[in-house]
Amino acid sequence: MFHDRVATSVVQGSVAPNGIHELRATIGEAARGQNILQMTDRELRRIRGGRIAMVFQEPMSSLNPVYTIGEQIVEGVELHTPRRGRDAWDRAVEMLGRVGIPDPARRAREYPHRFSGGMRQRAMIAMALACEPVLLIADEPTTALDVTIQLQILELLRSLQSQTGLSLLLITHDLGVVSEIADEVYVMYAGRIVEHASTAAILAGPRHPYTQALLRCTPRLALRTDRLEVIPGSVPSRGRHPSGCRFHPRCWLTRERAADGTRERSEASGHGVLRRCVESFAGEASGTPAMREVAPEHFVACWEVD
């Protein structure tokens, strides 16, 4: 889920021009067009925490309990910018103030255990933005917070993105968060991108069976039901993915079309699905369906989507 084009290029770099999936990880302006997989450790250290920053989902385990909040922000500032000493400390205090922490000069000298969960996450955001990154990766930044604080953190990220012009790559399973903050969405299943479109297009008309199933599982106030819908089965273990489409053992669409008896089916997986969904695709290095455009700027990796 993205704000701006620099973040979008992170994922776009994972699909080669010929449609074959490969991990290229070329990150636009953030890495000045270089392939980060070919960088040395020294080169990577220059951009990690500098031009590319990250906010993790559990701030308490990400903050060092034996250093003050200010000291932890100063470390990154001195590593990635010319600021030193008092100048770096002033930058840390300034950033704590920008993310809404009251009395930042005093709080910068306190340890993480003195901060609430929401304040710790604000401190993590201050640390990430202190070096003025081009790209901010936020991995489930609201998961460990209550609903009220979640909204405050989302509003803070949206405000800072607007003020600084940085690109935001948001990793989340919460479709409510997606609808609030994302401009574009990449839906992933078992390590593969299965759908990509604008947020409005995804929410209004999802095309991939997995995306459709995710939205059906979302609670709705207007829908009265005794039980929420669930996706049968479970996500495959890493390294033990099924052949062909990785979603086929759980896919309602392939089972539905296999059941009508007009298409060649496969019982190899024990799920009674279409044979084409089980067999590896020779045109793809991964053997999975290729991303294709099914509507303007709307891409889906499914052989059965019209």
Side-chain angles (χ1 to χ4, degrees):
M1 297 70 187
F2 311 107
H3 269 302
D4 212 291
R5 290 291 173 183
V6 175
T8 304
S9 70
V10 175
V11 176
Q12 286 179 336
S14 66
V15 182
N18 61 3
I20 296 178
H21 288 268
E22 58 181 29
L23 187 57
R24 296 172 63 186
T26 301
I27 306 183
E29 293 177 30
R32 296 185 171 91
Q34 296 177 280
N35 186 332
I36 62 173
L37 297 182
Q38 296 177 351
M39 288 184 175
T40 65
D41 288 344
R42 181 185 294 272
E43 290 172 329
L44 284 172
R45 283 196 294 270
R46 292 196 189 105
I47 63 172
R48 287 176 179 161
R51 296 184 64 78
I52 302 174
M54 188 163 186
V55 176
F56 297 92
Q57 60 179 292
E58 180 43 73
M60 193 57 202
S61 62
S62 303
L63 291 167
N64 191 322
V66 301
Y67 289 98
T68 67
I69 295 294
E71 287 171 338
Q72 295 181 63
I73 298 176
V74 165
E75 181 181 12
V77 171
E78 292 188 336
L79 182 64
H80 295 288
T81 74
R83 298 173 183 261
R84 296 291 183 273
R86 185 67 193 184
D87 190 24
W89 181 265
D90 289 344
R91 175 63 173 172
V93 172
E94 175 194 347
M95 290 308 303
L96 289 175
R98 287 186 65 181
V99 298
I101 292 180
D103 195 4
R106 178 176 63 85
R107 301 313 295 263
R109 300 185 182 280
E110 294 184 350
Y111 292 88
H113 72 273
R114 300 292 300 275
F115 281 51
S116 66
M119 289 180 65
R120 291 177 197 144
Q121 196 62 294
R122 287 175 184 269
M124 287 295 298
I125 294 172
M127 188 183 306
L129 299 182
C131 300
E132 300 181 346
V134 174
L135 171 64
L136 175 64
I137 302 172
D139 180 11
E140 298 277 10
T142 61
T143 295
L145 308 175
D146 64 53
V147 175
T148 303
I149 304 302
Q150 284 183 17
L151 180 60
Q152 293 176 6
I153 295 299
L154 290 177
E155 290 177 343
L156 173 62
L157 288 172
R158 186 160 44 198
S159 173
L160 291 171
Q161 192 274 336
S162 176
Q163 293 172 19
T164 64
L166 64 82
S167 293
L168 174 62
L169 191 159
L170 177 67
I171 303 169
T172 183
H173 67 275
D174 191 331
L175 294 174
V177 170
V178 172
S179 65
E180 283 288 327
I181 201 170
D183 297 323
E184 296 183 45
V185 177
Y186 284 79
V187 181
M188 297 188 71
Y189 180 80
R192 292 287 171 185
I193 298 168
V194 297
E195 187 163 4
H196 163 226
S198 67
T199 303
I202 290 285
L203 296 178
R207 304 295 295 275
H208 194 280
Y210 176 59
T211 312
Q212 293 173 355
L214 281 178
L215 288 171
R216 287 198 297 268
C217 294
T218 304
R220 292 178 174 83
L221 291 176
L223 181 63
R224 293 287 183 178
T225 180
D226 293 332
R227 294 177 63 88
L228 289 175
E229 186 167 340
V230 298
I231 303 174
S234 58
V235 178
S237 301
R238 188 177 65 175
R240 301 187 65 182
H241 298 125
S243 60
C245 174
R246 294 181 177 180
F247 186 59
H248 82 256
R250 309 176 69 193
C251 181
W252 60 270
L253 180 61
T254 188
R255 290 199 304 271
E256 186 177 278
R257 293 187 176 180
D260 67 15
T262 62
R263 306 275 295 281
E264 187 174 6
R265 57 185 284 167
S266 170
E267 301 293 345
S269 64
H271 298 281
V273 300
L274 291 174
R275 181 176 178 179
R276 70 183 304 197
C277 295
V278 177
E279 294 181 341
S280 294
F281 180 48
E284 281 287 296
S286 65
T288 60
M291 291 284 283
R292 59 190 178 86
E293 192 169 16
V294 296
E297 300 298 319
H298 196 143
F299 300 86
V300 177
C302 177
W303 290 313
E304 288 299 308
V305 171
D306 300 324

